[in-house]
Amino acid sequence: MADKPITEEWMKDNIASILNTMKEVIMNPVGFFRTMPKRGGFIDPIIFVASMGVLMGVINLVLSIVGLGFTRSFGMAILYIVIMPLLSVVFGFVGAAILFIIWRIMGSPESYETAYRCGAYTSAITPVTTIIGIIPYLGGIVGIVWMAYITVCASVEVHGIKVKTAWIVFGILFGLLLLMNISGTYTARHFNSGMEQWEKTSQDFDKMSAEEKGKAAGEFLKGMEKAIKKE
């Protein structure tokens, strides 16, 4: 794919191929990983991961326009489109290394290249989970459970791991990730709530006396302390 000259037709063919791959992983992960080539180099999966990063960036831009994105400004949303593909590729290699070690411990004979290809194609669901992620708590839960299922499919079909073993190992790992996600979301929401309350108070801050300012600051800190303790 990467050896051909970059033309308009080449771009259309590769975009269609990427979208078809994304659709297949989402709709039929078992069938996809069962027939996925275990070799073939890193170029194709890297392009796929970067493409998913671009899609995530574009989706975040659209969500930001309506006030639902992860970035607070339009400029940051544009920058996110550039940064996200780069981060996706870099963390793709790191994630593949972690998966490679886990699969080897579980008895897989496959190479790091195969682990990278598996990890790269599981990113097919990330544009969808980016949209689902706007739903507090539920979005994160669905995304993590879905990723766990996709990873189990890759474990069974590519690495020959038994279904029960794959679910036990990745069920525990993704279960811990799920708890961290819920805890992080809870803390972030309470922190944002506290910041909003502080912003409202600070609008009249200049009009307050020194005693009132001290009291307002104390109440804000107490509220943040309670939120942390509840966590």
Side-chain angles (χ1 to χ4, degrees):
M1 175 167 54
D3 294 332
K4 296 180 181 179
I6 299 178
T7 62
E8 183 178 349
E9 183 179 355
W10 182 91
M11 290 293 292
K12 288 181 179 178
D13 289 343
N14 280 277
I15 290 173
S17 176
I18 288 169
L19 293 177
N20 286 335
T21 299
M22 177 182 172
K23 179 181 177 181
E24 189 174 354
V25 174
I26 291 174
M27 302 299 294
N28 183 24
V30 172
F32 174 82
F33 285 110
R34 184 172 294 167
T35 58
M36 184 197 80
K38 299 180 181 181
R39 302 288 187 275
F42 290 89
I43 299 299
D44 286 353
I46 287 175
I47 291 175
F48 185 83
V49 168
S51 299
M52 295 303 102
V54 171
L55 274 177
M56 289 171 63
V58 172
I59 290 170
N60 178 65
L61 174 62
V62 174
L63 293 175
S64 296
I65 293 174
V66 296
L68 296 174
F70 301 108
T71 49
R72 294 199 173 190
S73 68
F74 184 79
M76 284 299 297
I78 293 292
L79 184 61
Y80 193 80
I81 297 177
V82 178
I83 294 176
M84 198 59 212
L86 298 176
L87 292 178
S88 297
V89 171
V90 172
F91 285 108
F93 282 103
V94 176
I98 296 172
L99 287 172
F100 173 69
I101 294 172
I102 294 173
W103 278 322
R104 273 302 175 94
I105 293 174
M106 294 171 71
S108 172
E110 302 300 337
S111 66
Y112 173 78
E113 178 187 343
T114 302
Y116 181 81
R117 295 174 74 86
C118 289
Y121 292 119
T122 60
S123 68
I125 70 172
T126 54
V128 181
T129 56
T130 298
I131 299 174
I132 299 175
I134 65 176
I135 306 173
Y137 298 107
L138 180 60
I141 293 172
V142 171
I144 291 173
V145 172
W146 192 2
M147 183 60 75
Y149 171 68
I150 296 287
T151 305
V152 168
C153 290
S155 301
V156 174
E157 301 301 332
V158 179
H159 298 271
I161 308 297
K162 292 182 179 180
V163 176
K164 184 177 180 180
T165 302
W167 270 117
I168 290 174
V169 173
F170 288 105
I172 292 173
L173 292 175
F174 281 95
L176 292 173
L177 185 61
L178 182 60
L179 291 175
M180 292 171 60
N181 177 269
I182 293 173
S183 176
T185 301
Y186 179 85
T187 302
R189 287 177 65 82
H190 278 72
F191 179 80
N192 289 335
S193 177
M195 287 301 295
E196 288 176 2
Q197 183 179 357
W198 173 253
E199 287 175 359
K200 291 178 181 178
T201 303
S202 64
Q203 291 176 358
D204 299 322
F205 199 70
D206 292 336
K207 301 176 182 178
M208 295 180 181
S209 65
E211 183 179 352
E212 289 173 332
K213 288 180 180 180
K215 184 178 179 181
E219 290 178 352
F220 171 74
L221 292 175
K222 285 181 181 179
M224 295 305 298
E225 184 180 358
K226 287 181 180 180
I228 293 173
K229 286 182 178 179
K230 285 181 181 179
E231 180 192 356

